[in-house]
Amino acid sequence: MSSFHSVLWNVLVAVVVSGQAQLKRKTDTQPNANIKSDCVGSHMRLTLDEVLAVGNQLEIEATNGSEHVLLTPGFAAQCGYSMESDPWGNTRIYTSLMGCYVDNTDDKLFNIGLRFQMYTDGHSDVVTYDVTKKCSYSAWASQEIVCDRNYMEVSKDLGQRDTTPQTKGQAGNAKDDLKNNAMQAVNDTAYGIWKMTFYTPEPTVMMLDEVHQAGYGAMTTPNRLVVRSPYNTAQTYSEDVAGVPMEVVKVGTYITTPQGLRIVDLTAACPTGGVTIADDVISWNIPRYITPLVNGRVKILEMHMGINGQRLDKAQMVSMGYTLSSTEYHLVIEIPIGSPDGYFKSHAPDYQYHLTYTVEPMLELLWTAKESQSDTRYKVLFPITTPLLLWYPEIVDETIPKEGMFKVWFGTLLHDVNLVNITFSTGVLSFEECKAKGFLQEQKYSNGSKFYLLQVPFSDDVVLKHNPEPLVTGYVLPLTYGFMVMPEETPFSYTLAVDASLHDVVLPSVFGTCDDGTFYVTVKYGSQGRNFETMIGTRMLTPELGSVYGQTENGTHFSLTLPYTSLDVAFELFDTSSVKARLDVLLWEPINNWSLNDFSLACYFPLSTTNCYSNGTMTAHSVKVESVPDLVPHQLTLREKSCKPYFSDERFALFSFNVNSCGTSRVFFGNHLLYENDISLDYSAKPNTSPEFRHTVSCYYLVNDTETLKFDNKPLVNIPSAEIGIGQLMVLMRLALDESYELFYQTKDYPVQKYLRQPLYFEVALLQSANPQLELILDNCWATLQEERTSLPSWDIIVDGCENLEDHYVTIFHPIASDPRVVVPSHVKRFSIKTFSFVKDKEVLKDKIYVHCDAVICDSTAGDGVCSGQCHSSTGIKKPLAAKGRRVSVAQQFSNSNDTWGLVDINSTSK
């Protein structure tokens, strides 16, 4: 208990030793609001506010008239002075009314004087404050025992006749030694100290000057004998009392009195332990019967708890949560950790943040011995500091990814901790630099503790970015907070990383068209630019291949032009007048091997595979299709294996032969004659080739017909054929104001507010088509809380073309009639639902709601499966889906606020 205070007093002494010889001195004898003094029982308490101590070093002197004595640690313990100070300079100084330099009037009125000298850091200036305080105190018990921070004090009323008088000869010898009493009381007294015997328990006899030289205090006042001992001296010893360690001093004092020489036995016993900490409560246990002080039965007359030397009444104790109770063997004081009467302090051993809590309880007892009827007042001032507690500040990540900014709270930290810097992935930024960039805010509570709010945009360079999934960007903010504990300037740090992810990646897209002989392909970059590789067919698109296909590029896309006969084009099938060719384009991310977009475009290109001439000659093209990958065109033959192509390459084989050769057969059909032959592989030469390839070619001729033969050396122009049309289907979902479907909400109207169970009228329409054979069918519609169509939770609205029978508010389909706006009724579907909200844990979620629909565009003449028509049956029973229709997706977004929805339209997209 005393070591901490010795350090403080040593600091004060060091100031004096290192001070300058010449100082600019200023003496202030006026009252100062930052210095407060009061009388607390047998002590005078003086409080210095930290305002005086900040930036200064303190020196204290005891004064008595014109005499000034520097209070060194040893001298303070010897003379009844103690000090308690926190690390920020808040200081309390206690002076015993029985102190050496106290002006004592009949042990009732006491005049205390102290001088404070404040040195600046450079010792160039010193400010002096003189403080005096008068205290009156007469409630002395027969015996008073004080356990202060750095000393034990015991005093006894000399009017008590509980000691044994000695012989006149011994008294005379004692009187001869009174001249050695260097610490006589300042008042004239009839008493004097001769010598003292300390028991440890072996006796050690010292004359009065030896007692003082050993650091003990001994003196008489007008009515009392006072002995004072620092802790941990050679003449004190430890004793366990009811499990509590106590330090004990026992001394027999020889004093002279008008009646002769007397011996007065004095004992002080002070606790040095007995503290336990559990469940954030400090428990201080003091023996109920301190056996070194009592020999028989005693009765406790008074029992008081105090803080900082000041008694507390019951109301004050209750308000602070303090308790003072007794058990069979102990008196127990309980104090909650964090009580405002104490203080927390930060520490950083091994660069880790720790806290301690310090509080200074007081116990004061008054008991009487039942045999002697003498009373004893026992007072203990006992500062308690908890062990180091490893403290983890709370980290609260309030980042909302869609806002695009990290938002991290860090705290709570004590007021003696300062944030110095933050280390990001790009380097270290000081506290001020973080504030200048708008990253950091410091906010404080009323008690001085603080926390920090860090806000960093996802787009800043200090944020690391990666893609854990093709459509997701992961954002990571690694941080190291650098702190400093004041005033010790001890560093420590915390390292953490916060992360967030967004579905904010726009993938690259591919679209294309065809004409009579060419594919036109455009690849549009996504949100991450050209971060992908491109496969054309089965080959990687290299700069060399791009130049072959006329690649053009700008900052947003690149384009290619490929003839359908290119090696990177696959032939799916062919007939007598056309070939179906397909171009495959794959966009992929090479690091993670992700497929970003897989695009295929199939078109029919005009190609006359068989030509019949009036002179009896046939020509036939055979095409290598992907279903026969091992086919080698130059190995094809007609029925007669000797009839081979007169031209071939990697994709085509061209045959020209007379109808009367190469195994060509002929058959008569009425007035027509059919010539037929087969193009195939010689499987005897390649027996393992699979599957079998066979291409039949034929020509019809009229048996009885007259033809005029005209010769022309120019190549024949291909006979015109119908072209297959390629385009995009456009579907729009809208919300009507009412069931008339005459007026619709516009973009500026969203979000539209709707109360729960109000109807919502939807219309889904196929645009820019007048083909009456096409019909729009709503396949599935559902609602989600997120924009992603596959997100959860979700609720079905239309299932397999019919209303969701699990919904209490069943979807209603509305008939469509032709009017000036609806030209083709089969291109439009209308339905209504009642407004609802998602519920989680019995709480209505107040958020946006998205509605999605999958629609199928059908050929109304092929009425099977989903294309058999929109469900109108209340049973909701539908035939299995088997139709081949063009599927499109549409979506709408609702916002849910309180008891309302808001609705916003999103353009439809084609799948």
Side-chain angles (χ1 to χ4, degrees):
M1 180 172 65
S2 60
S3 60
F4 173 70
H5 302 287
S6 296
V7 171
L8 290 176
W9 286 104
N10 286 331
V11 170
L12 302 183
V13 176
V15 172
V16 179
V17 173
S18 61
Q20 301 296 322
Q22 299 295 328
L23 297 174
K24 297 178 181 179
R25 185 176 299 273
K26 175 185 176 183
T27 301
D28 190 350
T29 59
Q30 298 301 318
N32 191 303
N34 299 312
I35 301 177
K36 300 175 183 178
S37 60
D38 53 359
C39 303
V40 286
S42 59
H43 285 76
M44 189 275 285
R45 180 179 62 182
L46 193 142
T47 304
L48 276 70
D49 192 88
E50 65 178 61
V51 173
L52 287 179
V54 170
N56 297 303
Q57 292 177 315
L58 176 65
E59 173 186 318
I60 303 175
E61 295 177 347
T63 63
N64 190 337
S66 60
E67 187 177 6
H68 298 274
V69 180
L70 177 65
L71 293 179
T72 64
F75 199 72
Q78 189 177 26
C79 281
Y81 297 88
S82 68
M83 182 176 74
E84 176 73 8
S85 179
D86 66 25
W88 307 282
N90 296 297
T91 303
R92 289 185 301 275
I93 299 169
Y94 294 84
T95 302
S96 171
L97 299 186
M98 293 285 138
C100 300
Y101 293 94
V102 175
D103 185 5
N104 184 338
T105 303
D106 198 26
D107 291 337
K108 294 181 180 179
L109 186 62
F110 306 88
N111 191 14
I112 302 102
L114 292 174
R115 169 172 286 185
F116 301 95
Q117 298 190 114
M118 305 289 181
Y119 292 86
T120 63
D121 290 337
H123 293 162
S124 59
D125 296 307
V126 61
V127 178
T128 301
Y129 295 94
D130 287 327
V131 178
T132 60
K133 181 68 176 179
K134 290 184 178 181
C135 292
S136 60
Y137 184 74
S138 58
W140 297 103
S142 300
Q143 179 176 248
E144 296 264 346
I145 299 172
V146 175
C147 300
D148 211 324
R149 299 156 195 78
N150 53 335
Y151 66 86
M152 300 179 283
E153 178 184 277
V154 55
S155 70
K156 182 170 286 190
D157 186 351
L158 290 177
Q160 294 284 331
R161 295 286 181 170
D162 58 348
T163 57
T164 304
Q166 304 299 314
T167 65
K168 290 185 178 180
Q170 290 173 322
N173 293 333
K175 289 180 180 179
D176 292 338
D177 289 330
L178 287 181
K179 59 183 179 180
N180 296 320
N181 190 353
M183 296 186 65
Q184 275 291 75
V186 293
N187 297 324
D188 293 333
T189 178
Y191 303 101
I193 299 174
W194 174 36
K195 63 180 179 179
M196 302 174 69
T197 301
F198 291 88
Y199 300 94
T200 59
E202 296 299 324
T204 301
V205 179
M206 298 184 191
M207 303 306 291
L208 187 58
D209 57 347
E210 295 175 319
V211 170
H212 295 157
Q213 290 173 6
Y216 300 96
M219 60 183 290
T220 59
T221 69
N223 302 294
R224 306 183 73 83
L225 170 65
V226 182
V227 174
R228 198 174 294 110
S229 171
Y231 291 98
N232 301 315
T233 65
Q235 278 67 48
T236 64
Y237 63 93
S238 296
E239 182 175 337
D240 186 283
V241 181
V244 177
M246 304 194 77
E247 189 157 356
V248 182
V249 60
K250 288 187 176 182
V251 60
T253 305
Y254 294 79
I255 62 172
T256 61
T257 71
Q259 294 79 25
L261 185 65
R262 296 171 54 191
I263 299 177
V264 180
D265 291 326
L266 299 175
T267 302
C270 294
T272 58
V275 175
T276 59
I277 297 174
D279 299 326
D280 294 330
V281 174
I282 298 173
S283 297
W284 178 29
N285 298 271
I286 306 95
R288 182 167 182 164
Y289 301 105
I290 304 173
T291 52
L293 303 179
V294 296
N295 294 323
R297 296 168 61 91
V298 298
K299 180 180 180 181
I300 297 178
L301 304 176
E302 295 181 10
M303 185 167 59
H304 304 281
M305 176 193 172
I307 292 289
N308 300 330
Q310 179 73 52
R311 286 185 185 180
L312 299 177
D313 58 31
K314 291 184 178 180
Q316 290 171 319
M317 293 176 60
V318 170
S319 67
M320 292 296 182
Y322 303 150
T323 61
L324 172 57
S325 59
S326 62
T327 66
E328 183 177 358
Y329 299 105
H330 297 94
L331 302 175
V332 182
I333 289 178
E334 292 186 331
I335 300 174
I337 295 178
S339 162
D341 287 324
Y343 64 87
F344 283 101
K345 178 70 182 78
S346 299
H347 307 270
D350 300 324
Y351 298 99
Q352 290 185 309
Y353 188 41
H354 292 72
L355 299 181
T356 58
Y357 176 74
T358 299
V359 67
E360 186 186 302
M362 180 189 75
L363 175 67
E364 187 175 342
L365 302 175
L366 179 65
W367 69 71
T368 182
K370 292 188 177 181
E371 292 182 359
S372 64
Q373 295 300 308
S374 62
D375 58 350
T376 299
R377 189 177 304 279
Y378 184 74
K379 182 176 181 180
V380 185
L381 302 174
F382 196 81
I384 298 173
T385 298
T386 63
L388 287 172
L389 171 66
L390 185 60
W391 182 259
Y392 296 96
E394 185 178 8
I395 300 168
V396 180
D397 184 2
E398 293 187 351
T399 303
I400 300 176
K402 64 183 180 181
E403 294 180 354
M405 179 173 293
F406 284 108
K407 186 176 182 180
V408 183
W409 297 92
F410 190 95
T412 302
L413 300 166
L414 295 186
H415 68 283
D416 58 347
V417 173
N418 290 334
L419 178 60
V420 178
N421 55 44
I422 301 179
T423 301
F424 296 96
S425 61
T426 55
V428 181
L429 294 179
S430 68
F431 176 80
E432 295 301 329
E433 289 172 330
C434 290
K435 289 181 62 177
K437 287 178 69 68
F439 286 177
L440 196 63
Q441 296 179 30
E442 181 184 64
Q443 300 191 30
K444 295 184 178 180
Y445 296 111
S446 58
N447 63 0
S449 59
K450 64 186 72 174
F451 58 89
Y452 296 92
L453 172 60
L454 186 69
Q455 299 184 97
V456 179
F458 288 177
S459 58
D460 199 276
D461 292 340
V462 301
V463 178
L464 304 179
K465 304 170 184 66
H466 68 287
N467 295 103
E469 300 175 26
L471 291 174
V472 176
T473 302
Y475 300 91
V476 180
L477 180 62
L479 303 167
T480 297
Y481 290 90
F483 295 99
M484 192 77 73
V485 176
M486 304 304 290
E488 299 89 345
E489 297 187 350
T490 307
F492 69 96
S493 63
Y494 276 96
T495 298
L496 60 118
V498 289
D499 60 84
S501 60
L502 274 177
H503 285 72
D504 59 353
V505 177
V506 178
L507 296 179
S509 57
V510 188
F511 58 92
T513 60
C514 308
D515 61 11
D516 285 348
T518 306
F519 286 99
Y520 301 95
V521 177
T522 298
V523 177
K524 185 178 181 180
Y525 305 152
S527 59
Q528 297 181 322
R530 185 71 182 271
N531 68 327
F532 57 87
E533 300 288 349
T534 306
M535 294 285 291
I536 301 296
T538 59
R539 291 195 292 176
M540 182 75 68
L541 180 62
T542 62
E544 294 76 17
L545 186 60
S547 63
V548 173
Y549 292 149
Q551 180 176 353
T552 60
E553 188 168 359
N554 63 19
T556 61
H557 64 275
F558 70 84
S559 300
L560 300 172
T561 303
L562 286 77
Y564 83 92
T565 56
S566 302
L567 293 178
D568 297 305
V569 175
F571 293 148
E572 293 184 348
L573 55 88
F574 62 93
D575 55 25
T576 58
S577 60
S578 64
V579 59
K580 184 180 181 183
R582 188 187 75 251
L583 175 64
D584 296 325
V585 180
L586 173 64
L587 308 181
W588 61 289
E589 194 272 327
I591 298 176
N592 299 291
N593 201 25
W594 288 332
S595 175
L596 305 181
N597 203 315
D598 191 354
F599 173 81
S600 293
L601 176 62
C603 298
Y604 286 90
F605 295 93
L607 176 65
S608 296
T609 56
T610 304
N611 292 302
C612 306
Y613 300 101
S614 58
N615 64 352
T617 301
M618 294 177 60
T619 61
H621 279 92
S622 188
V623 180
K624 178 181 179 179
V625 292
E626 64 177 350
S627 59
V628 190
D630 295 333
L631 178 67
V632 180
H634 75 82
Q635 294 178 346
L636 294 172
T637 66
L638 296 174
R639 289 173 180 170
E640 290 186 3
K641 304 307 178 186
S642 60
C643 295
K644 297 181 179 297
Y646 79 88
F647 170 80
S648 65
D649 59 15
E650 294 180 355
R651 314 297 304 280
F652 297 94
L654 178 60
F655 294 86
S656 180
F657 58 95
N658 189 276
V659 296
N660 294 319
S661 65
C662 295
T664 306
S665 62
R666 62 180 180 176
V667 179
F668 287 94
F669 291 97
N671 197 37
H672 289 82
L673 181 61
L674 171 64
Y675 291 92
E676 193 173 75
N677 206 325
D678 296 321
I679 302 173
S680 63
L681 277 174
D682 183 2
Y683 288 97
S684 61
K686 298 191 68 176
N688 296 325
T689 301
S690 178
E692 181 178 349
F693 176 81
R694 186 174 301 278
H695 174 204
T696 300
V697 295
S698 57
C699 282
Y700 290 88
Y701 291 94
L702 288 173
V703 176
N704 296 314
D705 193 16
T706 300
E707 295 288 346
T708 301
L709 181 63
K710 181 180 179 181
F711 176 80
D712 194 342
N713 63 352
K714 294 182 179 179
L716 293 175
V717 178
N718 291 334
I719 299 174
S721 60
E723 180 181 355
I724 303 299
I726 302 298
Q728 291 186 345
L729 298 173
M730 296 185 64
V731 178
L732 176 66
M733 178 188 284
R734 295 190 294 176
L735 182 65
L737 271 67
D738 54 37
E739 61 184 344
S740 68
Y741 289 90
E742 293 180 354
L743 298 174
F744 295 84
Y745 289 106
Q746 304 301 312
T747 302
K748 62 182 176 61
D749 300 323
Y750 295 109
V752 175
Q753 301 295 317
K754 290 286 185 179
Y755 290 102
L756 291 175
R757 293 181 291 280
Q758 277 191 308
L760 296 167
Y761 299 98
F762 291 91
E763 179 183 276
V764 183
L766 172 64
L767 306 179
Q768 298 182 0
S769 175
N771 187 346
Q773 292 185 352
L774 296 182
E775 181 175 5
L776 182 143
I777 302 295
L778 295 178
D779 190 5
N780 292 287
C781 294
W782 65 99
T784 65
L785 275 176
Q786 306 294 329
E787 187 175 0
E788 180 64 34
R789 11 181 323 114
T790 59
S791 64
L792 295 175
S794 66
W795 182 255
D796 292 325
I797 298 172
I798 296 175
V799 180
D800 293 340
C802 294
E803 60 269 25
N804 177 17
L805 297 181
E806 294 181 6
D807 192 349
H808 297 296
Y809 307 104
V810 179
T811 304
I812 299 175
F813 292 98
H814 297 275
I816 311 297
S818 179
D819 56 38
R821 188 174 65 82
V822 180
V823 179
V824 183
S826 63
H827 292 186
V828 180
K829 287 295 183 289
R830 293 170 178 167
F831 67 94
S832 63
I833 59 175
K834 291 185 178 180
T835 307
F836 69 95
S837 290
F838 283 90
V839 177
K840 181 178 181 183
D841 298 332
K842 299 182 180 180
E843 181 180 356
V844 175
L845 298 180
K846 302 172 182 178
D847 206 340
K848 293 181 180 178
I849 297 178
Y850 297 79
V851 171
H852 313 265
C853 282
D854 281 342
V856 179
I857 309 302
C858 296
D859 182 353
S860 60
T861 62
D864 60 334
V866 70
C867 291
S868 60
Q870 193 74 52
C871 179
H872 297 286
S873 170
S874 62
T875 64
I877 300 176
K878 263 219 35 109
K879 294 186 293 182
L881 303 181
K884 296 181 181 179
R886 183 70 183 276
R887 186 176 296 274
V888 295
S889 300
V890 290
Q892 285 193 340
Q893 176 187 355
F894 298 78
S895 92
N896 184 11
S897 176
N898 295 328
D899 292 328
T900 63
W901 270 5
L903 176 66
V904 63
D905 183 46
I906 296 179
N907 291 333
S908 61
T909 57
S910 176
K911 293 180 65 177

